[in-house]
Amino acid sequence: NYIDQLDFDNKYLNILIEWLSLLDLNKILIYLMIIFVLRSLLLILANSYRFHLKFYLLANIKKRLIKKYFSLNLQASQVEDSGYYNNLISEQSMMFAKGFDIFLRLVMKVIQSIIFIGLALFISFKLNLLVIFSSLIVILLFRQLNNVISKYSEKYTKEATKLSSLITQSVQS
C-alpha cells in the first residue's frame, strides 16, 4: 500500500516537473552559467561607468564652488567664516555625489531586474509565473509584518519618551 502511495506521489511529481519544463537540466545550467557570466561583466562595466560619472560630477561641482568662492566680494565672505565654505566645498559636495551614486545604483538595480525577469521568461514561462505569484504572496506577508513592527516601534518610542521625561523630572526634583 505504501509503494502504491509512493508511485502516486511520483506520478504527480513527474507531471509537475514536465509542466515546469525542467526535464532538460543541462540546458538550464548552461543558461544560468551564461546569465551569471554576462551579469558579472555588465556589473563590472556599470560600476566602472558609475565611478567615472561620480568622479566627473564631484570634480565639476568642486570646481564650480571654488570659482564661486573666489568671485565672492569681501563683504559676503566676512558674513561666514572660512570653515563654512570649506565644509560646503568638501563635505556638502561629497554628500551630493553620494546621493547621485545612490540614484545610479537604483537605476542599475531596476535595469538588472528587468534583464533577469526577461531571461527568466525566456527560460521558462510557467516557472516564472509560479515565482512571480509566490513572490507577491511573500511581499504581502512582509508588508503585514512591517505594519506590525511599525506599530510596536511607535509604542516603544512613546514609552521611551514617557520614561525619559519621568527620569528627567525625578532627577530635577
Side-chain angles (χ1 to χ4, degrees):
N1 193 8
Y2 177 72
I3 294 181
D4 292 337
Q5 180 69 26
L6 186 63
D7 186 43
F8 178 76
D9 291 340
N10 285 338
K11 178 179 156 186
Y12 283 109
L13 181 63
N14 287 334
I15 291 172
L16 179 66
I17 289 173
E18 286 177 314
W19 184 75
L20 295 175
S21 65
L22 291 177
L23 290 178
D24 193 5
L25 189 60
N26 290 333
K27 191 189 308 185
I28 290 177
L29 290 176
I30 290 171
Y31 283 141
L32 288 175
M33 184 180 70
I34 291 170
I35 289 169
F36 284 113
V37 167
L38 286 175
R39 178 183 180 265
S40 300
L41 291 174
L42 287 174
L43 279 176
I44 290 170
L45 290 173
N47 281 327
S48 63
Y49 188 64
R50 188 181 96 214
F51 285 120
H52 170 73
L53 285 177
K54 184 178 174 183
F55 171 75
Y56 179 74
L57 176 71
L58 190 58
N60 199 1
I61 288 174
K62 284 189 177 190
K63 185 170 60 173
R64 285 183 176 181
L65 285 173
I66 290 172
K67 281 182 182 179
K68 294 286 184 183
Y69 175 72
F70 284 121
S71 69
L72 283 176
N73 60 14
L74 186 61
Q75 187 180 18
S77 65
Q78 288 176 350
V79 173
E80 299 288 342
D81 61 346
S82 62
Y84 170 79
Y85 294 109
N86 186 23
N87 182 36
L88 182 67
I89 292 171
S90 60
E91 296 297 321
Q92 297 299 321
S93 59
M94 286 295 286
M95 288 177 67
F96 182 79
K98 185 176 180 180
F100 182 71
D101 187 46
I102 291 170
F103 172 72
L104 285 179
R105 280 193 268 156
L106 173 71
V107 170
M108 283 175 46
K109 291 292 181 184
V110 167
I111 292 171
Q112 183 180 5
S113 299
I114 291 170
I115 290 172
F116 277 148
I117 290 171
L119 288 173
L121 283 170
F122 177 71
I123 291 174
S124 174
F125 183 74
K126 293 176 185 177
L127 179 62
N128 198 26
L129 288 178
L130 182 66
V131 168
I132 288 173
F133 179 71
S134 60
S135 299
L136 290 175
I137 291 173
V138 169
I139 287 172
L140 292 174
L141 290 174
F142 274 109
R143 182 178 285 176
Q144 294 290 37
L145 181 63
N146 188 25
N147 290 338
V148 170
I149 290 173
S150 296
K151 288 178 186 175
Y152 282 126
S153 176
E154 189 176 317
K155 288 180 183 179
Y156 173 78
T157 303
K158 287 179 182 177
E159 290 297 321
T161 303
K162 287 179 186 177
L163 180 64
S164 177
S165 83
L166 288 174
I167 290 173
T168 304
Q169 288 175 0
S170 66
V171 167
Q172 290 177 352
S173 310

